[in-house]
Structures are given as structure tokens and as C-alpha cells.
Amino acid sequence: MKFYELPPEKRRALLASQGLELADLDSATLAKMDQLSENVVGRLSLPVGLVTNLVVNGQSYLVPMATEEPSVVAAANHGASIFTQNGGTKVTSERQGIYGQIVLQAADDFELADFEQSFPKLIEITNREFSSLVHHGGGVRQITVRCEHELVYLQVLVDPAQAMGANKVNSILEFMAEKLAIFPEIKTKLFAILSNYPSQISRVKVQLSVQSVGGKTVAQQIALLSQIGETDPMRGVTNNKGIMNGVDAVLQATGNDTRSVEAACGLWASRHGQYCSLSSWRLEDDMLHGELSLPLALGTVGGSINARSDVQENYQILGSSITSQQLAEVVVSIGLANNLAALLAIATTGIQAGHMKLQARNIVATLSANDTEKQQVLSLMKQDQNYTQAAAQKYLIEIRKAK
Ligand code: MEV
């Protein structure tokens, strides 16, 4: 039997026979994991932390974030609480759909105008074939076309309703490509696949009193840092990493595809011709104005979302009736909250003070020590404000000697 044909227990037994030490995992869990992925041998779990009060368009949310990085959850809470003191975030969204591409190779006698005339009928046939998507409020919305030499590029806009829609859009595109390939002037279908090109854009704005960020000087520093990120890609990319810290953690918690969002956001950051920061902060009339727009092709159903009980629990926290647009509006707000907290820290104490204090827990978790010893080490690290691995080891030795 091939490795992928074995049940997960047998795959693990094989690894164990080669000397790998795998922690116990019950067979019910393994069976669940096996339904979700391929060649499964284990499970990776992440802590879920909460943002306890994010107000978006007047609605208050509890936001689950799945990440191993405590400072990401702490930063999101810090930023969100400043937003809430100032009335919360205002978010607008454009959710016409996600893009798909069909590229065909045409013969010499190809006439674009004749070909284009077939599009309304093609949309109608496709929407009839995928009537369940139409029933959920989605469907093919638009086809645009351009030719480059003998290549015909079709861009298809599909509204995936409440799902992110990758599988559905790929099925739709393959169906459409089959129909188009029978045109006599079309030689071959080269490919038909969704594009992760930025779509489903959400834009968040906040207006913060300078007092709420620690005064005018701090607000000026934040605005200056933001300006630097807009012109210097070296800073811009790090600014954006801080935004994606928050974005990815909510995506993970809600079973969304972090890779597609990351790919689209990378391109979005270069949309003006040069890579730059995704957010902007300006000081005007004694108010700090923050803005961020992100392409967020997210879903609240579909993919593995419905099959994962851990993810479903997070939807209960967020509000089970949350729509994909509301989720995107929460995500972009969290991105801006993480960004504000990072800029605030950089503009004042520097990032390491808060970060290392929180990171101490991760360091302590790596010690070969019992729970009481770990607690004692953590207290000593906090007391001395010394958050290195070496310090943790030293405190552990001292604690054991003192016993
Ligand atoms: C660290 O994970 C993220 C930051 O570097 C973001 C930033 O510099 O804006 C703190």
C-alpha cells in the first residue's frame, strides 16, 4: 500500500518504527483530521485569543484570533480599545465578486466582436447550470475580454455569495471554457482558473483624538512613521506585516484561506506602481485619521469551514449569523488595530518592551520544568524585566537550588 492509502494510525506506526516519538493522539481525532487533509499523521493546534471589544459600524464584536504570538492578540486589543473610545471603525465594502481567468488560443480568422456577442447567452447558460449558487444570491456577473496576438484573455467576475468560492469558481470557469472551446475560431483552451487578483475590497477609517493615543507628539510620530512607510518599501513591508499579523489570525480562526489573502494583499500594496504601506495615518485638526483598504475574498461557509468544530466555535463567538461582508469588515478593522498598536509602540517605548514581556510565556513553555517551577520562573523574569532564554534557565537553576 502507498503511504497515502494507509489509515493515519498506520502512517504514524511507520514513523514510530523509524524512531520518531509522536505524542498520543486518539483515533477519533485522527479520523477527523484525516477527513480534512492528505497523508495525515498528526494535528497542529493553536491557541485562540479574543479581542474583547471591537466596534465596527456601530456593532460590537468579540473577535477570535488563532495565533501562537501573544503580542498579536494584545496589540489587536490595544488598538481596538482606542478605536472603541473614539466610536469604533467605519467600514465600507465593495463585494461584486472574485475574478476568474480563461485564456484561449485563437485561429487567424478570429473576430473579437462576434465572439463577445456570445457572452450574455454564456452567462445565462452558466447561471442555469450553477443554479444553487444563484439561489444563494451569487452567480456569474460579467465577462470582459482582451486579445494579445493570438491569445484571448477572458476575465470573469463571479459573485460567490457567502463562500470564498474558489472551488465553485473553478468549476464555473471550466464549464464556461468547455462551451467557448467549441467556437470554430478557437484553437485551444489554455487554462481556466480563478485569479487571486485583488477583489472584494473593504475600507476602514478611524478618527482618533490625539489624547487617546498619548498626545499630539505621539500622534505626529505615528503620522511621520506612516509617511515613511508610504515611500520606503523597507518600512512599508514591515508595516504591512504588522497588519497581516492581525488579519491572518482572524482568518485562521474563521477557517479562511490565509494564502489567497496574503497573495492579493501583496499585489494590492503595489497597486500605485511601487510597493508601499497598506495603511495611512494623518494628523488633521488635532485628530489622527487612520485608513486601510484590503482585498478580502473571505467566506463564512464552504471549504472546510462547516466541517471543523473548532472553527464553528469561533463563529459562535463572532455571531453565528455574521455575513462574509461583515467578517471582512471585522478583519480589516483588526488589521488597522494591530497597525496602530505597532506604530504606537514604535513611536514611544519601542516594540521590544511589550513584546518580550508577552513572549516570556513562550520561553517558559520550552523549559523542562513542572508547572509550579514555570510559574516561579515567569514571576522572576517579570520582576527583573529580563525576558531571555538564558535568564529563564538561570532562574530555574536558582529555584531548584533554593529548594
Ligand atoms: C511584528 O510582528 C510586527 C511589527 O514589526 C509591525 C511594525 O513594525 O509596524 C511590530
Side-chain angles (χ1 to χ4, degrees):
M1 247 188 187
K2 302 222 169 66
F3 193 72
Y4 74 88
E5 291 170 327
L6 294 171
E9 286 86 352
K10 291 247 165 73
R11 292 187 201 119
R12 287 166 63 87
L14 248 171
L15 296 180
S17 73
Q18 289 164 14
L20 291 180
E21 283 177 29
L22 303 177
D24 286 345
L25 204 50
D26 64 88
S27 46
T29 305
L30 269 176
K32 264 194 212 156
M33 296 301 113
D34 202 41
Q35 283 165 10
L36 290 174
S37 191
E38 183 70 6
N39 268 359
V40 165
V41 294
R43 173 186 59 176
L44 181 72
S45 43
L46 282 176
V48 175
L50 274 194
V51 175
T52 52
N53 191 10
L54 177 76
V55 176
V56 179
N57 292 337
Q59 185 168 341
S60 177
Y61 292 92
L62 280 177
V63 188
M65 301 180 84
T67 172
E68 77 300 343
E69 179 82 65
S71 61
V72 168
V73 184
N77 271 290
H78 187 195
S81 84
I82 297 172
F83 292 172
T84 303
Q85 283 168 46
N86 287 276
T89 67
K90 303 271 177 292
V91 192
T92 53
S93 297
E94 292 158 28
R95 292 186 71 82
Q96 291 93 338
I98 65 171
Y99 296 110
Q101 257 193 321
I102 300 174
V103 178
L104 309 161
Q105 207 166 14
D108 291 343
D109 58 349
F110 177 75
E111 286 292 338
L112 184 59
D114 295 348
F115 189 63
E116 263 185 301
Q117 278 179 10
S118 68
F119 292 171
K121 186 83 194 151
L122 181 61
I123 293 179
E124 194 189 314
I125 296 170
T126 310
N127 281 339
R128 211 177 309 132
E129 178 73 16
F130 293 88
S131 58
S132 72
L133 177 60
V134 175
H135 177 74
H136 285 103
V140 179
R141 295 283 181 253
Q142 195 187 47
I143 307 174
T144 47
V145 65
R146 72 173 205 280
C147 281
E148 274 178 31
H149 309 292
E150 86 281 30
L151 296 184
V152 185
Y153 288 78
L154 287 106
Q155 183 178 297
V156 183
L157 184 68
V158 184
D159 179 349
Q162 293 306 314
M164 184 270 177
N167 287 328
K168 183 67 82 190
V169 172
N170 283 333
S171 304
I172 287 175
L173 293 166
E174 287 178 10
F175 173 86
M176 293 175 93
E178 288 301 314
K179 300 278 172 224
L180 292 166
I182 54 182
F183 272 72
E185 315 84 68
I186 296 298
K187 280 206 285 197
T188 357
K189 174 199 89 179
L190 286 180
F191 66 89
I193 193 157
L194 78 81
S195 165
N196 292 110
Y197 195 82
S199 65
Q200 313 283 60
I201 311 296
S202 289
R203 292 190 166 76
V204 58
K205 289 187 180 180
V206 289
Q207 277 188 38
L208 312 177
S209 69
V210 291
Q211 294 83 357
S212 65
V213 295
K216 193 161 180 174
T217 312
V218 178
Q220 277 165 338
Q221 290 271 87
I222 291 173
L224 185 57
L225 259 168
S226 171
Q227 235 175 296
I228 294 171
E230 282 166 37
T231 52
D232 173 27
M234 191 92 168
R235 173 59 208 151
V237 70
T238 316
N239 179 80
N240 295 345
K241 192 275 181 177
I243 293 169
M244 299 317 285
N245 274 343
V247 168
D248 282 357
V250 186
L251 298 186
Q252 290 278 17
T254 55
N256 274 284
D257 179 350
T258 51
R259 290 85 59 201
S260 62
V261 173
E262 289 279 354
C265 288
L267 197 151
W268 192 239
S270 305
R271 69 192 181 283
H272 302 302
Q274 185 193 315
Y275 186 95
C276 67
S277 57
L278 289 158
S279 59
S280 97
W281 293 93
R282 297 272 176 276
L283 185 60
E284 272 168 32
D285 306 327
D286 265 357
M287 296 292 278
L288 186 63
H289 298 254
E291 274 189 51
L292 169 67
S293 67
L294 292 178
L296 292 168
L298 311 184
T300 52
V301 293
S304 65
I305 292 175
N306 302 63
R308 289 178 55 191
S309 53
D310 50 355
V311 164
Q312 284 305 317
E313 222 166 73
N314 294 333
Y315 278 100
Q316 280 182 44
I317 295 171
L318 263 169
S320 304
S321 60
I322 192 165
T323 62
S324 49
Q325 174 170 329
Q326 285 170 322
L327 177 60
E329 293 174 351
V330 164
V331 169
V332 75
S333 300
I334 289 287
L336 193 64
N338 275 83
N339 182 228
L340 174 67
L343 298 185
L344 255 175
I346 299 168
T348 53
T349 53
I351 208 73
Q352 279 309 78
H355 183 79
M356 289 313 290
K357 196 165 162 186
L358 290 164
Q359 206 59 28
R361 261 181 279 170
N362 286 0
I363 293 172
V364 166
T366 64
L367 295 176
S368 300
N370 63 37
D371 287 347
T372 318
E373 287 172 333
K374 285 182 181 172
Q375 269 312 320
Q376 288 171 325
V377 171
L378 193 57
S379 305
L380 287 170
M381 288 171 91
K382 285 187 178 162
Q383 183 187 299
D384 294 354
Q385 297 193 3
N386 190 347
Y387 302 114
T388 62
Q389 182 84 41
Q393 288 292 356
K394 185 186 90 168
Y395 294 133
L396 181 62
I397 293 167
E398 285 170 9
I399 289 164
R400 285 181 175 164
K401 268 195 199 146
K403 265 191 199 160

